[in-house]
Amino acid sequence: NAGVIQTPRHKVTGKGQEATLWCEPISGHSAVFWYRQTIVQGLEFLTYFRNQAPIDDSGMPKERFSAQMPNQSHSTLKIQSTQPQDSAVYLCASSLAQDTQYFGPGTRLLVL
Amino acid sequence: GQGVEQPDNLMSVEGTFARVNCTYSTSGFNGLSWYQQREGHAPVFLSYVVLDGLKDSGHFSTFLSRSNGYSYLLLTELQIKDSASYLCAVRDRNNNNRIFFGDGTQLVVKP
């Protein structure tokens, strides 16, 4: 069991460029969560899917962020027109029953 | 989010114990989890509680009082490597069963 896989581990983009982050949940887990973490804001919920269906995206900045889960083996988080304030560690987690979340190593995004 | 509050910092001594407190004001409480996060690493699940009382898991124990909106994580026989941030997370059935994390308590264990 490889755990939750996130790629890339590090990404540097220029202001205004697009960034796509990938997550492969643990096989058999029905729920996938996206968070971002900064020193200032702490761990912020973005969105989550259950059985590939979007359940709650109330944490997503509406204009430039989008997330999809086209199949049970991966989810993507896309940020359009990235801004310096988007710089953060983006964490993906998966779970069977939502009481225990298994986190991936995160993608460290730096927007210059 | 959802009023999950933790102290920012906690310091203790190797070989003793540390209690990390968490209070919440979630209207649809549906379980509470504790996670450990070391510097530069993702959070790691430690414990889940949904019923009142003390749950002893050896090195880590957790207590919950739903009527008081309060939980603590107790670490005993502290080791230097227990130095980390400890995150409290509350699930809210009134918000799509979403989980709300506290900002974490940074525990420093000194020799």
Side-chain angles (χ1 to χ4, degrees):
Chain A
N1 186 345
V4 176
I5 298 171
Q6 288 189 249
T7 55
R9 294 293 306 277
H10 302 271
K11 187 170 182 66
V12 180
T13 67
K15 182 179 174 181
Q17 291 183 329
E18 182 179 287
T20 299
L21 314 180
W22 295 71
C23 171
E24 181 180 327
I26 293 172
S27 177
H29 281 193
S30 56
V32 172
F33 304 81
W34 283 98
Y35 299 87
R36 68 178 172 186
Q37 188 172 34
T38 61
I39 293 174
V40 173
Q41 297 292 336
L43 193 61
E44 295 179 277
F45 167 83
L46 294 175
T47 187
Y48 93 91
F49 298 84
R50 187 185 299 135
N51 296 322
Q52 298 175 236
I55 301 299
D56 184 343
D57 67 353
S58 58
M60 293 274 275
K62 294 303 180 195
E63 292 184 352
R64 298 182 293 106
F65 284 60
S66 62
Q68 295 178 333
M69 191 162 184
N71 56 60
Q72 63 186 10
S73 65
H74 90 273
S75 174
T76 57
L77 178 68
K78 184 178 292 186
I79 309 171
Q80 295 178 312
S81 186
T82 54
Q83 303 297 311
Q85 61 264 32
D86 298 333
S87 297
V89 177
Y90 288 82
L91 291 162
C92 175
S94 72
S95 76
L96 266 176
Q98 210 176 359
D99 53 353
T100 304
Q101 297 192 10
Y102 295 86
F103 285 82
T107 295
R108 189 174 295 274
L109 175 68
L110 178 61
V111 182
L112 299 176
Chain B
Q2 293 305 93
V4 182
E5 302 288 340
Q6 303 179 238
D8 290 339
N9 299 287
L10 181 63
M11 190 176 296
S12 193
V13 177
E14 186 180 19
T16 67
F17 70 94
R19 190 178 77 189
V20 185
N21 294 320
C22 173
T23 59
Y24 61 89
S25 54
T26 307
S27 60
F29 176 83
N30 195 20
L32 183 148
S33 302
W34 284 95
Y35 290 78
Q36 179 192 62
Q37 186 173 22
R38 290 200 165 91
E39 184 73 28
H41 294 271
V44 174
F45 171 80
L46 293 178
S47 179
Y48 171 77
V49 287
V50 66
L51 299 176
D52 287 349
L54 184 66
K55 180 179 176 182
D56 186 357
S57 304
H59 186 45
F60 300 104
S61 298
T62 49
F63 172 82
L64 176 67
S65 170
R66 288 173 294 174
S67 60
N68 292 309
Y70 169 69
S71 174
Y72 68 71
L73 173 71
L74 181 69
L75 298 89
T76 57
E77 297 182 24
L78 284 171
Q79 303 175 52
I80 302 296
K81 67 178 183 180
D82 291 324
S83 297
S85 180
Y86 290 87
L87 299 158
C88 173
V90 177
R91 184 163 57 157
D92 184 358
R93 68 166 62 88
N94 292 340
N95 275 280
N96 294 311
N97 265 324
R98 211 179 102 183
I99 294 179
F100 294 85
F101 281 85
D103 289 338
T105 296
Q106 186 66 44
L107 172 66
V108 173
V109 180
K110 291 196 159 186

